[in-house]
Amino acid sequence: MTDRISNKKNITLSIIAIIVMLAAIYVLDIVIKPTSSWSNLMTCLEKGTIYALVAVSMNLLNGFTGLFSLGQAGFMLIGAYAYAIFAIAPEDRATVYQYYEGGGLIHFSLPHMLQDMMGGADAFGGTIGYYLGIILLMIFAGLITAVIAFLIGIPVLRLKSDYLAIATLGFAEIIRSFFQWEGLGPVTNGSNVLRKFASYDSSIFPVLVAGICVAFIVLLINSSYGRAFKSIRDDEIAAEAMGVNLFKHKELSFVISSFFAGVGGALLAMFQNNINAAPFTSNMTYEILLIVVIGGIGSITGSIIGAYLFVCCSEWWLRGLDAGEFLGIEADFMSPGFRKVVFAVVIMCIVLFYSRGIMGTNEFSWSGLFNFFKTLPKRIAAVPGKIKAKFSNKKHKKHTENVKEAQ
Amino acid sequence: MLTIKGLNVHYGGIHALRGIDLEVADGHIISLIGANGAGKSTTLKSIMGLVAKTSGQILWNDKDITNIPTKEVVKQGIVLCPEGRRVFPDLTVEENLRIGAYLRNDKDGIQKDKEWVYELFPRMKEREWQLAGTLSGGEQQMLAVGRALMSKPKLLMLDEPSLGLAPLVIKDIFAIIKQIKDAGVNVLLIEQNAKAALEISDYAYVMETGKITMSGVGKELMNDERVKKAYLGE
C-alpha cells in the first residue's frame, strides 16, 4: 500500500479539480464549439460523458452486483423516447408527426410549457423554466425506465449468468420493436425519427448531469447497499446465509442501473437532436459492455476512462483512417472500415496487457495518481521486457510469472 | 434452544433427511458427525431456510421457524458459517465483517463486536484492509467465523470449519470455538474430523444416510466401539 494522503487534502484537491474542469469546459465550449476544426473535441466530450454515465450504470449491474445483463440499449431507448415525446413544442408537432393526423396524440411539451409560464423565451426566468422542464423530464424518463425494468426484473432476475444475459438481450430487442410498432405511431412516431425536441445549449449541462448521477452511484456503492451488492457478486450462498435478501437487492440494482440508463438515453437524445429506435440494437449494448470491460469490470473510474477512450477513438482519432488519411499520411489502401480494423487491434492490445481492464478493480485516488507519475519512467523502461515476455516461449513466461510471485 | 422434530427433506427424488430429531441446548457445543452425504450440511441449510422442507418442525426457543425466510432466521439470532469458508474474495476483511452485521442497525454494538472478533482473531486486525481472497486458508476460515459472529448470533452453526486446514490451524480454530461458547453463544458443529469435534462438544449426534443413528455425550461417544470403528479409525 502506498502512502495515503489525508482526507482533508483529498477533498480540497477534488474540489479544485472539479472547479477547474468545469471552468475549462465552459471556456472550451465558448471558444471551440463555433470553430469547425476542433469541434470534434466537444462532440467527443459530450458523447463520452453520456457513454460514461451509461457505462457506469451498466458496471453497477455487471461489475458490482455480478448480474450479466445486456439490456442497457433497450433501457436507454425507453429513456430517450420518454424524454423526446414530451419535449417537442406543440407548434412543431405537425411537422414531426407528419404521417399521423393532427400531429400525434400528445400535444404538450414540459420544457416549453414551463418556459412560457416563467416569462417566455427571451427572459432569464424563461430559460430557467426551460431547463427545469428538461431536468424534470429527464427524471421522468429515468423513472419510466425504472418502472419497466422493475417489471422485467421480476421474471428475469431469477435467472443466472448466461441465461440472464440472453433474457435481457431479448427484452431489449422486444422494447425496440415495440417502439417501432405502427400501432403506437401517434405517440412514438412509429419507425420515423423524433426531432425538434428541447435540448441543452452548453456542453456543461450533460457533464453536470452525468457527474451528479455518477456521484450518486459511487455513494450507493460505498453504502451498506453497495456492500450487499458486492457480496452477492462474490458469493450468493454466503450472502444469503448472512441475511442479504438476494432477490430484493438484485432487483434494486437492476432498477437503479436502468434509471440511470434511462437518464443517459435522454441525454443521448438531446446530444443527437433526433432520436430513432433503429440504432438502439444489441450493438449499442456491446459498445457499452466493451467500455466496461476495457475500463475494468468493477471500477467506476475505469468505465469513465474507457468511455472517453472509446468515443474519442471511434468518433475522432481514428476517423481519418476511413478517409484514407491518418496523422497527415495519405494512403489509398485505407478504405472505409479500416478504422474498425485498427480499433480492434487497439482493443486487443489493451486486453493483452491489461487483462483485467485498464483500472482492474481500482478506483481513482490522488495518491494513486501521484504514484502513477512517480513510477511512470520506470514502467516505460520496463515495457520492452514485458512485450518480450508476452510473446516469448512458455518456459520463459512461466519463469517471469514465478519471479512476479516471488516479489 | 433449538429443537428439530421429524424433519424430512427431499432433493428431487432423493430423500436426503429422513425424520431427524435434534436438540441444541443452551450453553452447549453440539456436534453432528457422519460420513460424506449423510445429510449434515442439509440439516444446517434447512435450519437456515436455504432448502425446502417436506415435513417436520424446527423450533427456536419454542417459536416455529420452519418456514420463515433466511433473513428472518438470521434476525432471530441463528447464523451459518458455510462449508468451504465462502468469504467474499473481492471485499476487504473489514467489509466482510460488516456484511456479517448486515441486518443490524446498532452502530456501537457493531463496533464492539468487531473489536471482539479482532480480539479473537488478532490476525484479522492486522489484515483489516486486505482483500479476503488474498488470505491463507486458515485466515479465511477465521474470517468466515468472525463474519458469522458479527450478526451477534445466539446459535452459531459451523459447517466443516477444519476442511482443508493444517492440523495446527485446526487446533487454533477449535480453541476459539470453545472461547465463543464461553462467551455465551451456542454452537452447532458439523465435522468429518470426528475426534476433534467430539473432544470439545458437550453432546453429539451421529448421522448416517439421512438418519440420526446415535447420540450421546461427546466424550462417551468417543469410547463407543461403533463410533471408534466407523469414524475414529481405531
Side-chain angles (χ1 to χ4, degrees):
Chain A
M1 184 112 323
T2 53
D3 47 340
R4 287 162 179 268
I5 298 178
S6 75
N7 235 344
K8 211 171 155 190
K9 207 172 158 193
N10 259 333
I11 293 170
T12 331
L13 275 172
S14 304
I15 291 173
I16 292 172
I18 289 169
I19 293 172
V20 168
M21 238 159 59
L22 286 179
I25 293 167
Y26 184 72
V27 173
L28 285 175
D29 197 40
I30 293 172
V31 177
I32 283 181
K33 221 176 194 175
T35 67
S36 59
S37 54
W38 277 85
S39 63
N40 269 336
L41 176 66
M42 293 326 271
T43 313
C44 287
L45 181 77
E46 286 178 24
K47 196 174 177 191
T49 307
I50 295 162
Y51 267 50
L53 170 60
V54 182
V56 168
S57 81
M58 191 172 190
N59 208 346
L60 171 69
L61 207 54
N62 290 20
F64 289 94
T65 323
L67 298 171
F68 192 43
S69 156
L70 294 176
Q72 228 60 4
F75 295 127
M76 287 170 77
L77 173 72
I78 299 172
Y81 266 80
Y83 174 82
I85 288 168
F86 296 101
I88 299 170
E91 59 268 28
D92 290 331
R93 293 236 171 215
T95 45
V96 175
Y97 289 86
Q98 52 184 323
Y99 301 109
Y100 300 93
E101 260 175 58
L105 264 180
I106 292 153
H107 286 283
F108 89 107
S109 155
L110 194 66
H112 295 99
M113 197 175 77
L114 287 174
Q115 187 182 32
D116 287 343
M117 270 167 60
M118 292 173 77
D122 300 327
F124 181 64
T127 313
I128 289 181
Y130 186 69
Y131 273 98
L132 184 69
I134 289 180
I135 290 166
L136 285 178
L137 209 49
M138 270 170 42
I139 295 171
F140 168 77
L143 288 177
I144 290 276
T145 315
V147 168
I148 292 172
F150 177 79
L151 295 175
I152 292 176
I154 291 170
V156 159
L157 289 177
R158 297 179 194 280
L159 303 171
K160 286 200 175 119
S161 61
D162 315 7
Y163 303 100
L164 176 68
I166 294 166
T168 45
L169 197 62
F171 266 109
E173 291 295 313
I174 292 171
I175 291 168
R176 190 166 61 86
S177 325
F178 184 69
F179 273 87
Q180 287 176 318
W181 176 40
E182 275 303 308
L184 271 180
V187 180
T188 62
N189 209 7
S191 51
N192 309 309
V193 176
L194 278 177
R195 58 207 161 84
K196 294 195 171 178
F197 44 79
S199 180
Y200 56 79
D201 292 323
S202 166
S203 298
I204 271 202
F205 183 77
V207 173
L208 267 181
V209 172
I212 291 166
C213 293
V214 170
F216 179 87
I217 295 175
V218 169
L219 288 177
L220 178 81
I221 283 166
N222 290 327
S223 72
S224 68
Y225 284 109
R227 267 198 300 282
F229 291 162
K230 287 188 251 178
S231 73
I232 291 173
R233 171 194 67 188
D234 278 7
D235 193 325
E236 285 196 4
I237 294 176
E240 197 175 14
M242 292 300 112
V244 175
N245 186 335
L246 291 186
F247 185 69
K248 190 184 118 191
H249 282 90
K250 284 181 180 179
E251 186 74 278
L252 189 69
S253 172
F254 194 60
V255 165
I256 292 174
S257 166
S258 305
F259 176 88
F260 288 114
V263 173
L267 280 175
L268 191 67
M270 281 185 261
F271 165 73
Q272 294 178 340
N273 269 322
N274 62 59
I275 208 79
N276 176 6
F280 288 85
T281 53
S282 47
N283 233 346
M284 189 184 256
T285 304
Y286 296 144
E287 282 180 6
I288 296 155
L289 183 66
L290 182 71
I291 290 169
V292 172
V293 172
I294 283 181
I297 298 174
S299 168
I300 300 281
T301 320
S303 293
I304 296 170
I305 294 175
Y308 287 116
L309 202 64
F310 173 83
V311 171
C312 286
C313 277
S314 65
E315 302 277 325
W316 183 17
W317 296 339
L318 302 181
R319 274 283 158 178
L321 289 173
D322 275 0
E325 190 215 314
F326 187 62
L327 297 174
I329 306 162
E330 273 187 51
D332 291 333
F333 69 89
M334 293 191 285
S335 54
F338 194 70
R339 168 177 61 103
K340 287 188 175 163
V341 177
V342 175
F343 192 46
V345 173
V346 170
I347 290 167
M348 277 191 262
C349 285
I350 290 175
V351 174
L352 204 55
F353 291 104
Y354 298 88
S355 52
R356 299 192 66 192
I358 294 170
M359 292 296 287
T361 51
N362 301 322
E363 293 295 350
F364 171 83
S365 70
W366 287 106
S367 49
L369 186 71
F370 294 147
N371 227 31
F372 176 79
F373 284 114
K374 239 193 256 169
T375 58
L376 195 60
K378 224 174 163 183
R379 278 184 301 139
I380 288 175
V383 163
K386 228 175 158 184
I387 294 173
K388 226 175 168 181
K390 274 276 175 210
F391 293 104
S392 63
N393 59 43
K394 257 189 183 159
K395 206 172 161 191
H396 183 74
K397 199 171 164 189
K398 211 161 196 183
H399 174 70
T400 47
E401 263 168 23
N402 286 343
V403 171
K404 247 189 224 162
E405 261 168 39
Q407 282 165 351
Chain B
M1 194 169 86
L2 181 87
T3 317
I4 300 179
K5 286 181 192 162
L7 183 66
N8 278 290
V9 170
H10 287 83
Y11 285 133
I14 299 161
H15 200 168
L17 295 185
R18 303 159 185 257
I20 297 247
D21 294 298
L22 189 148
E23 206 167 86
V24 183
D26 282 343
H28 283 327
I29 297 180
I30 307 293
S31 60
L32 194 56
I33 59 173
N36 281 333
K40 304 178 305 261
S41 297
T42 307
T43 309
L44 295 201
K45 280 186 190 154
S46 50
I47 295 170
M48 288 306 291
L50 292 169
V51 294
K53 285 135 264 190
T54 324
S55 67
Q57 209 180 19
I58 302 170
L59 298 173
W60 173 240
N61 293 331
D62 298 327
K63 201 179 155 225
D64 190 351
I65 59 161
T66 317
N67 289 315
I68 66 174
T70 309
K71 188 180 144 197
E72 296 303 317
V73 178
V74 177
K75 267 192 188 160
Q76 298 286 335
I78 301 177
V79 71
L80 170 67
C81 175
E83 182 178 359
R85 306 185 271 274
R86 287 180 177 269
V87 293
F88 303 117
D90 290 329
L91 298 187
T92 63
V93 167
E94 200 258 352
E95 282 178 310
N96 264 278
L97 292 179
R98 283 172 72 167
I99 283 283
Y102 184 70
L103 292 172
R104 293 172 64 185
N105 291 319
D106 53 328
K107 256 191 177 166
D108 297 339
I110 291 173
Q111 188 58 34
K112 232 174 95 190
D113 279 354
K114 206 159 86 184
E115 271 153 30
W116 178 48
V117 169
Y118 285 152
E119 218 174 277
L120 283 174
F121 307 106
R123 196 65 81 72
M124 294 300 109
K125 173 82 185 157
E126 289 165 29
R127 309 205 181 268
E128 199 171 1
W129 300 108
Q130 206 169 313
L131 293 185
T134 63
L135 299 177
S136 74
E139 287 164 346
Q140 287 190 12
Q141 184 61 56
M142 291 176 187
L143 177 59
V145 174
R147 184 183 63 185
L149 286 175
M150 287 301 291
S151 69
K152 210 178 174 70
K154 294 186 198 85
L155 173 62
L156 171 66
M157 303 195 290
L158 298 166
D159 196 345
E160 302 266 7
S162 74
L163 192 76
L165 298 182
L168 257 175
V169 182
I170 297 178
K171 222 172 143 194
D172 279 355
I173 296 225
F174 276 84
I176 286 163
I177 293 173
K178 246 185 155 168
Q179 276 186 48
I180 292 168
K181 179 200 109 174
D182 292 339
V185 179
N186 303 325
V187 178
L188 176 54
L189 177 67
I190 285 188
E191 263 299 337
Q192 288 204 32
N193 187 342
K195 190 161 178 266
L198 291 176
E199 251 168 24
I200 64 159
S201 44
D202 300 290
Y203 200 82
Y205 293 87
V206 180
M207 266 187 107
E208 261 166 59
T209 56
K211 271 184 271 182
I212 286 180
T213 51
M214 245 186 286
S215 66
V217 176
K219 298 245 161 66
E220 281 174 14
L221 272 184
M222 272 182 87
N223 296 320
D224 188 289
E225 283 306 319
R226 283 172 296 170
V227 174
K228 267 187 183 171
K229 213 170 159 197
Y231 303 107
L232 300 178
E234 283 173 26

